[in-house]
């Protein structure tokens, strides 16, 4: 009975399988597939890609049918073969790198996907100043310069908007150069890792996310220091942040509601040192700007 149920389930999956042109590293004659499924309630074409001709949504990751038969997949864990295949696609393909921003970012607010320089509302000299600085930073990243950027200021001042606008600009300008960009909201990152603690291998998702953040060409860490990231013992969070920063050589943008003094109080000296390293001419203070969320 159980065997028949398993066979029926595999037949059902086969009907939904779409070949990818990539092959499993463990079973080299097995082509990886993506599965179609009904459109999710939070479907966004800018994030999840286009629908199939039948109006169905494709799974974001690729799977090996033989690995499935062998019981390799447990809950939401990916097999090593699948991880390698998807990693190769992301890291070595122009299409994969260009789409990394939309397929792997954790943004929190979906409206940020529409953040561009021309959608940033300018109501005064202070806003024009931070906009000009953001455009200059985007231009220098596009030219290949390596440095860190720090956006600090009160909530709702447009820091996340301009950080995303920089990524969008650089991603478009360098889409033929196999250059990758990624936006990670710190609260969403911590939530994703905490959710993975329900899995059998609690380190897999943390390792996947931190590896991605260590290796991407241009990274935004958004809302560093938000209340939801802190607990009585936040040493594991600081360890994750240090792990990411320690492997990167510039090209990291952080946004924070904390002042420089508050960042030094909240984080270990080693982390503060890495954040400020290489950001001498790219610390942008969002001062004299009213909360844009209240002025809508």
């Amino acid at each position: 009975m159980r065997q028949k149920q398993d066979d029926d389930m595999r037949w059902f999956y086969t009907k939904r399988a779409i070949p990818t042109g990539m092959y499993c590293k463990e079973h080299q004659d097995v082509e990886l597939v993506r599965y179609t499924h009904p459109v999710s309630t939070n479907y966004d074409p800018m994030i999840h890609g286009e629908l199939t001709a039948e109006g169905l949504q494709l799974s974001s990751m690729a799977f090996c049918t033989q690995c499935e038969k062998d019981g390799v997949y447990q809950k939401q864990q990916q097999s090593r073969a699948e991880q390698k295949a998807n990693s190769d696609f992301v890291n070595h393909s122009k299409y994969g790198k260009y789409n990394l921003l939309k397929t792997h970012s954790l943004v929190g607010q979906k409206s940020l996907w529409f953040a561009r320089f021309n959608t940033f509302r300018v109501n005064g000299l202070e806003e024009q100043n931070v906009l000009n600085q953001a455009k200059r930073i985007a231009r220098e990243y596009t030219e290949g310069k390596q440095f860190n950027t720090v956006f600090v200021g009160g909530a709702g001042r447009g820091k996340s908007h301009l950080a995303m606008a920089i990524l969008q600009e650089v991603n478009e300008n360098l889409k033929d150069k196999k250059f990758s960009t990624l936006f990670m909201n710190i609260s969403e990152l911590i939530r994703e890792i905490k959710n993975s603690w329900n899995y059998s291998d609690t380190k897999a998702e943390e390792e996947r996310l931190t590896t991605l953040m260590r290796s991407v060409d241009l990274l935004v860490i958004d809302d560093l220091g938000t209340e939801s990231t802190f607990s009585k013992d936040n040493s594991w969070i600081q360890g994750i942040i240090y792990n990411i920063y320690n492997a990167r050589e510039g090209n990291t943008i952080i946004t924070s509601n904390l002042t420089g003094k508050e960042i030094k109080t909240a984080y270990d000296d080693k982390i503060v040192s890495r954040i400020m390293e290489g950001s001498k001419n790219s610390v942008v203070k969002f001062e004299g700007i009213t909360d844009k969320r209240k002025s809508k």
Side-chain angles (χ1 to χ4, degrees):
M1 181 66 177
R2 179 56 187 267
Q3 182 61 45
K4 184 179 186 306
Q5 288 177 337
D6 290 345
D7 290 341
D8 288 344
M9 184 61 71
R10 279 196 285 271
W11 177 87
F12 176 73
Y13 279 135
T14 300
K15 299 290 287 184
R16 298 167 47 209
I18 304 295
T20 66
M22 301 184 291
Y23 287 82
C24 179
K25 297 297 181 181
E26 298 288 341
H27 310 99
Q28 297 185 8
D29 60 338
V30 178
E31 186 175 9
L32 298 177
V33 297
R34 286 186 165 86
Y35 291 115
T36 59
H37 59 83
V39 180
S40 59
T41 55
N42 64 344
Y43 170 72
D44 186 330
M46 297 187 69
I47 303 172
H48 302 111
E50 298 295 325
L51 301 178
T52 66
E54 293 76 23
L56 297 172
Q57 189 175 333
L58 278 174
S59 61
S60 58
M61 305 304 293
F63 299 88
C64 168
T65 53
Q66 187 59 48
C67 285
E68 287 178 323
K69 290 179 183 177
D70 294 345
V72 172
Y73 301 113
Q74 295 182 3
K75 296 186 179 178
Q76 297 184 23
Q77 299 305 315
Q78 298 173 313
S79 70
R80 292 191 300 273
E82 179 196 338
Q83 286 180 330
K84 182 67 167 61
N86 282 291
S87 175
D88 287 346
F89 177 68
V90 166
N91 294 324
H92 303 300
S93 120
K94 179 175 72 176
Y95 180 83
K97 287 218 167 191
Y98 172 70
N99 282 280
L100 188 77
L101 175 63
K102 291 177 182 175
T103 58
H104 287 69
S105 293
L106 298 174
V107 300
Q109 297 179 23
K110 287 176 64 175
S111 60
L112 278 175
W113 288 115
F114 302 98
R116 300 290 192 280
F117 291 136
N118 62 4
T119 59
F120 183 75
R121 289 183 293 121
V122 175
N123 297 318
L125 291 177
E126 294 84 359
E127 286 157 321
Q128 186 63 56
N129 178 51
V130 296
L131 175 60
N132 290 343
Q133 291 190 70
K135 288 181 176 180
R136 187 259 305 169
I137 289 167
R139 185 168 59 252
E140 291 181 355
Y141 281 135
T142 300
E143 292 169 352
K145 296 180 181 179
Q146 287 196 319
F147 57 95
N148 291 328
T149 296
V150 179
F151 285 175
V152 292
R157 268 59 179 180
K159 302 182 300 296
S160 300
H161 182 120
L162 288 180
M164 176 62 87
I166 290 173
L167 289 192
Q168 303 269 26
E169 183 83 0
V170 174
N171 202 44
E172 284 297 326
N173 290 338
L174 299 180
K175 63 183 177 182
D176 294 325
K177 304 292 184 181
K178 291 187 179 180
F179 189 92
S180 55
T181 62
L182 187 71
F183 188 103
M184 284 288 183
N185 176 276
I186 194 71
S187 297
E188 293 298 317
L189 173 67
I190 301 305
R191 186 178 296 112
E192 191 80 5
I193 292 173
K194 283 186 175 181
N195 287 341
S196 75
W197 292 350
N198 296 317
Y199 307 158
S200 57
D201 181 357
T202 59
K203 294 293 289 182
E205 183 68 356
E206 177 182 328
E207 183 61 28
R208 182 187 75 82
L209 289 167
T210 54
T211 297
L212 187 61
M213 294 173 73
R214 288 195 301 266
S215 58
V216 73
D217 295 314
L218 179 59
L219 171 69
V220 165
I221 301 177
D222 183 49
D223 266 355
L224 191 71
T226 49
E227 289 294 328
S228 58
T229 68
F230 291 99
S231 60
K232 216 168 191 179
D233 177 16
N234 70 334
S235 58
W236 69 277
I237 301 174
Q238 299 224 15
I240 289 171
I241 295 171
Y242 182 74
N243 183 20
I244 294 165
Y245 257 102
N246 199 42
R248 297 188 58 78
E249 297 181 3
N251 283 21
T252 306
I253 302 170
I254 73 158
T255 76
S256 181
N257 296 340
L258 302 180
T259 64
K261 185 177 181 180
E262 289 170 334
I263 290 176
K264 290 178 181 178
T265 301
Y267 291 96
D268 185 274
D269 289 344
K270 292 180 180 178
I271 296 176
V272 176
S273 175
R274 293 309 302 259
I275 289 174
M276 301 309 295
E277 184 179 12
S279 60
K280 182 179 179 181
N281 298 316
S282 49
V283 176
V284 181
K285 297 180 180 180
F286 286 63
E287 298 175 336
I289 299 174
T290 56
D291 189 336
K292 290 179 174 295
R293 298 170 302 182
K294 295 179 180 178
S295 60
K296 284 183 179 180

